[in-house]
Coordinates of all heavy atoms in Angstrom, one line a residue:
N1 N 119.5 95.4 107.4 CA 120.1 94.5 106.4 C 119.2 93.4 106.0 O 118.6 92.8 107.0 CB 121.5 94.0 106.9 CG 122.2 93.1 106.0 OD1 121.8 91.9 105.8 ND2 123.2 93.6 105.4
P2 N 118.9 93.1 104.8 CA 118.0 92.1 104.4 C 118.2 90.7 105.1 O 117.3 90.0 105.5 CB 118.1 92.0 102.9 CG 118.5 93.3 102.5 CD 119.5 93.8 103.6
V3 N 119.5 90.3 105.2 CA 119.8 89.0 105.8 C 119.4 89.0 107.3 O 118.8 88.0 107.8 CB 121.3 88.7 105.6 CG1 121.7 87.4 106.4 CG2 121.7 88.6 104.2
D4 N 119.7 90.1 108.0 CA 119.3 90.2 109.4 C 117.8 90.2 109.5 O 117.3 89.6 110.5 CB 119.9 91.5 110.0 CG 121.5 91.4 110.1 OD1 122.0 90.3 110.0 OD2 122.1 92.5 110.1
R5 N 117.1 90.9 108.6 CA 115.7 91.0 108.8 C 115.0 89.7 108.5 O 114.1 89.3 109.2 CB 115.1 92.0 107.8 CG 113.6 92.3 108.1 CD 112.9 92.9 107.0 NE 111.5 92.9 107.3 CZ 110.5 93.0 106.4 NH1 110.8 93.1 105.1 NH2 109.2 92.9 106.7
V6 N 115.5 88.9 107.6 CA 114.9 87.6 107.3 C 115.1 86.7 108.5 O 114.2 86.0 108.9 CB 115.6 87.0 106.0 CG1 115.2 85.5 105.9 CG2 115.2 87.8 104.8
R7 N 116.3 86.7 109.1 CA 116.6 85.9 110.3 C 115.6 86.3 111.4 O 115.0 85.4 112.1 CB 118.0 86.1 110.7 CG 118.4 85.1 111.9 CD 119.8 85.4 112.3 NE 120.8 85.3 111.2 CZ 121.5 86.4 110.7 NH1 121.3 87.6 111.3 NH2 122.3 86.2 109.8
E8 N 115.4 87.6 111.6 CA 114.6 88.1 112.7 C 113.1 87.7 112.4 O 112.4 87.3 113.3 CB 114.7 89.6 112.9 CG 116.0 90.0 113.4 CD 116.1 91.5 113.4 OE1 115.1 92.2 113.1 OE2 117.2 92.1 113.7
E9 N 112.7 87.8 111.2 CA 111.3 87.5 110.8 C 111.0 86.1 111.0 O 109.9 85.7 111.5 CB 111.0 88.0 109.4 CG 111.0 89.5 109.2 CD 109.7 90.2 109.8 OE1 108.8 89.4 110.2 OE2 109.7 91.4 110.0
E10 N 111.9 85.2 110.6 CA 111.7 83.8 110.7 C 111.7 83.3 112.1 O 110.9 82.4 112.5 CB 112.7 83.0 109.9 CG 112.5 83.2 108.4 CD 113.6 82.5 107.6 OE1 114.6 82.0 108.2 OE2 113.4 82.4 106.3
Q11 N 112.5 84.0 113.0 CA 112.5 83.6 114.4 C 111.2 84.1 115.0 O 110.6 83.4 115.8 CB 113.7 84.3 115.1 CG 113.8 84.0 116.6 CD 113.9 82.5 116.9 OE1 114.5 81.8 116.2 NE2 113.2 82.1 118.0
A12 N 110.8 85.4 114.7 CA 109.6 85.9 115.2 C 108.3 85.2 114.8 O 107.3 85.2 115.5 CB 109.5 87.4 114.8
A13 N 108.4 84.5 113.7 CA 107.2 83.8 113.2 C 106.8 82.7 114.1 O 105.7 82.3 114.1 CB 107.5 83.3 111.8
K14 N 107.8 82.2 114.9 CA 107.5 81.1 115.8 C 106.6 81.5 117.0 O 105.9 80.7 117.5 CB 108.8 80.4 116.2 CG 109.6 79.9 115.1 CD 111.0 79.4 115.6 CE 111.9 78.9 114.5 NZ 113.2 78.4 115.0
D15 N 106.8 82.7 117.4 CA 106.2 83.1 118.7 C 105.5 84.5 118.7 O 105.0 84.9 119.7 CB 107.2 83.1 119.8 CG 108.5 83.9 119.4 OD1 108.4 84.7 118.5 OD2 109.5 83.7 120.1
S16 N 105.4 85.1 117.5 CA 104.8 86.5 117.5 C 103.3 86.3 117.5 O 102.7 85.4 117.0 CB 105.2 87.3 116.3 OG 104.8 86.7 115.1
G17 N 102.6 87.3 118.2 CA 101.2 87.3 118.2 C 100.6 88.0 117.0 O 101.2 88.6 116.2
S18 N 99.3 87.8 116.9 CA 98.6 88.4 115.7 C 98.4 89.8 115.8 O 98.1 90.5 114.8 CB 97.2 87.7 115.6 OG 96.4 87.9 116.7
D19 N 98.5 90.4 117.1 CA 98.3 91.9 117.2 C 99.3 92.7 116.4 O 99.0 93.7 115.8 CB 98.3 92.2 118.7 CG 97.1 91.7 119.5 OD1 96.2 91.4 118.8 OD2 97.2 91.7 120.7
R20 N 100.5 92.2 116.5 CA 101.6 92.9 115.7 C 101.3 92.9 114.2 O 101.4 93.9 113.6 CB 102.9 92.2 116.0 CG 104.1 92.7 115.1 CD 105.4 92.0 115.5 NE 106.4 92.3 114.5 CZ 106.6 91.7 113.4 NH1 105.8 90.6 113.1 NH2 107.6 92.0 112.6
H21 N 100.9 91.8 113.7 CA 100.6 91.7 112.3 C 99.4 92.5 111.9 O 99.4 93.2 110.9 CB 100.4 90.2 111.9 CG 101.6 89.3 112.1 ND1 101.5 88.0 112.4 CD2 102.9 89.6 111.9 CE1 102.7 87.5 112.5 NE2 103.6 88.5 112.2
A22 N 98.4 92.5 112.7 CA 97.1 93.2 112.4 C 97.4 94.7 112.4 O 96.9 95.4 111.6 CB 96.0 92.8 113.4
S23 N 98.1 95.2 113.4 CA 98.4 96.6 113.5 C 99.3 97.1 112.4 O 99.0 98.2 111.8 CB 99.1 96.9 114.9 OG 100.4 96.3 114.9
F24 N 100.3 96.3 112.0 CA 101.1 96.7 110.8 C 100.3 96.7 109.5 O 100.4 97.5 108.7 CB 102.3 95.7 110.7 CG 103.3 96.1 109.6 CD1 103.9 97.3 109.7 CD2 103.5 95.3 108.6 CE1 104.8 97.7 108.7 CE2 104.4 95.6 107.6 CZ 105.0 96.9 107.6
A25 N 99.4 95.7 109.4 CA 98.6 95.6 108.2 C 97.6 96.8 108.1 O 97.4 97.4 107.1 CB 97.8 94.3 108.2
G26 N 97.1 97.2 109.3 CA 96.3 98.4 109.4 C 97.0 99.6 108.9 O 96.5 100.5 108.2
F27 N 98.3 99.8 109.4 CA 99.1 100.9 109.0 C 99.3 100.9 107.5 O 99.2 101.9 106.8 CB 100.4 100.8 109.7 CG 101.5 101.7 109.1 CD1 101.5 103.1 109.3 CD2 102.5 101.2 108.2 CE1 102.4 103.9 108.7 CE2 103.4 102.0 107.6 CZ 103.4 103.4 107.9
L28 N 99.6 99.7 106.9 CA 99.8 99.6 105.5 C 98.6 100.0 104.7 O 98.6 100.6 103.6 CB 100.3 98.2 105.1 CG 101.8 97.9 105.5 CD1 102.1 96.5 105.1 CD2 102.8 98.8 104.8
M29 N 97.4 99.5 105.2 CA 96.2 99.8 104.5 C 95.9 101.3 104.4 O 95.5 101.8 103.4 CB 95.0 99.0 105.1 CG 93.7 99.0 104.3 SD 92.4 98.2 105.2 CE 93.0 96.6 105.5
T30 N 96.1 101.9 105.6 CA 95.9 103.4 105.7 C 96.9 104.1 104.8 O 96.5 105.0 104.0 CB 96.1 103.8 107.1 OG1 95.2 103.1 107.9 CG2 95.8 105.3 107.2
H31 N 98.1 103.7 104.8 CA 99.2 104.3 104.0 C 98.9 104.2 102.5 O 98.9 105.2 101.7 CB 100.5 103.7 104.3 CG 101.6 104.1 103.3 ND1 102.3 105.3 103.4 CD2 102.2 103.5 102.3 CE1 103.2 105.4 102.4 NE2 103.1 104.3 101.7
N32 N 98.5 103.0 102.1 CA 98.3 102.7 100.6 C 97.0 103.4 100.2 O 96.9 103.9 99.0 CB 98.2 101.2 100.4 CG 99.6 100.6 100.5 OD1 100.6 101.1 100.2 ND2 99.6 99.4 101.1
T33 N 96.0 103.5 101.0 CA 94.8 104.2 100.7 C 95.1 105.7 100.5 O 94.6 106.4 99.6 CB 93.7 104.0 101.7 OG1 93.4 102.6 101.9 CG2 92.4 104.8 101.4
T34 N 95.9 106.2 101.4 CA 96.3 107.7 101.3 C 97.1 107.9 100.0 O 96.8 108.9 99.3 CB 97.2 108.0 102.5 OG1 96.5 107.8 103.7 CG2 97.6 109.5 102.4
V35 N 98.0 107.0 99.7 CA 98.8 107.2 98.4 C 97.9 107.1 97.2 O 98.0 107.9 96.3 CB 99.9 106.1 98.3 CG1 100.5 106.1 97.0 CG2 100.9 106.3 99.4
S36 N 96.9 106.2 97.2 CA 96.0 106.0 96.1 C 95.1 107.3 95.9 O 94.9 107.8 94.8 CB 95.1 104.8 96.3 OG 95.9 103.6 96.4
I37 N 94.6 107.8 97.0 CA 93.8 109.0 96.9 C 94.6 110.2 96.4 O 94.1 111.0 95.6 CB 93.1 109.3 98.3 CG1 92.1 108.2 98.7 CG2 92.4 110.6 98.3 CD1 91.5 108.3 100.0
K38 N 95.8 110.3 96.9 CA 96.7 111.4 96.4 C 96.9 111.2 94.9 O 96.9 112.2 94.2 CB 98.0 111.4 97.2 CG 97.9 111.9 98.6 CD 99.3 111.9 99.2 CE 99.3 112.4 100.6 NZ 100.7 112.4 101.2

């Protein structure tokens, strides 16, 4: 649910590490490159 996700993301923003963000960004970069090549 968007409301629940926003609450979780804003709470996680206070204490989440960069590893989570970097790994997710790497996944998105790979995914979008695959979509573009297709």
Side-chain angles (χ1 to χ4, degrees):
N1 181 284
V3 175
D4 294 337
R5 188 196 170 201
V6 171
R7 186 184 305 112
E8 292 175 4
E9 290 287 347
E10 291 180 348
Q11 178 61 38
K14 301 176 181 178
D15 50 16
S16 64
S18 60
D19 290 343
R20 171 179 172 271
H21 294 146
S23 61
F24 184 62
F27 164 77
L28 287 177
M29 191 184 302
T30 302
H31 170 78
N32 292 322
T33 301
T34 301
V35 171
S36 298
I37 293 175
K38 284 182 179 179

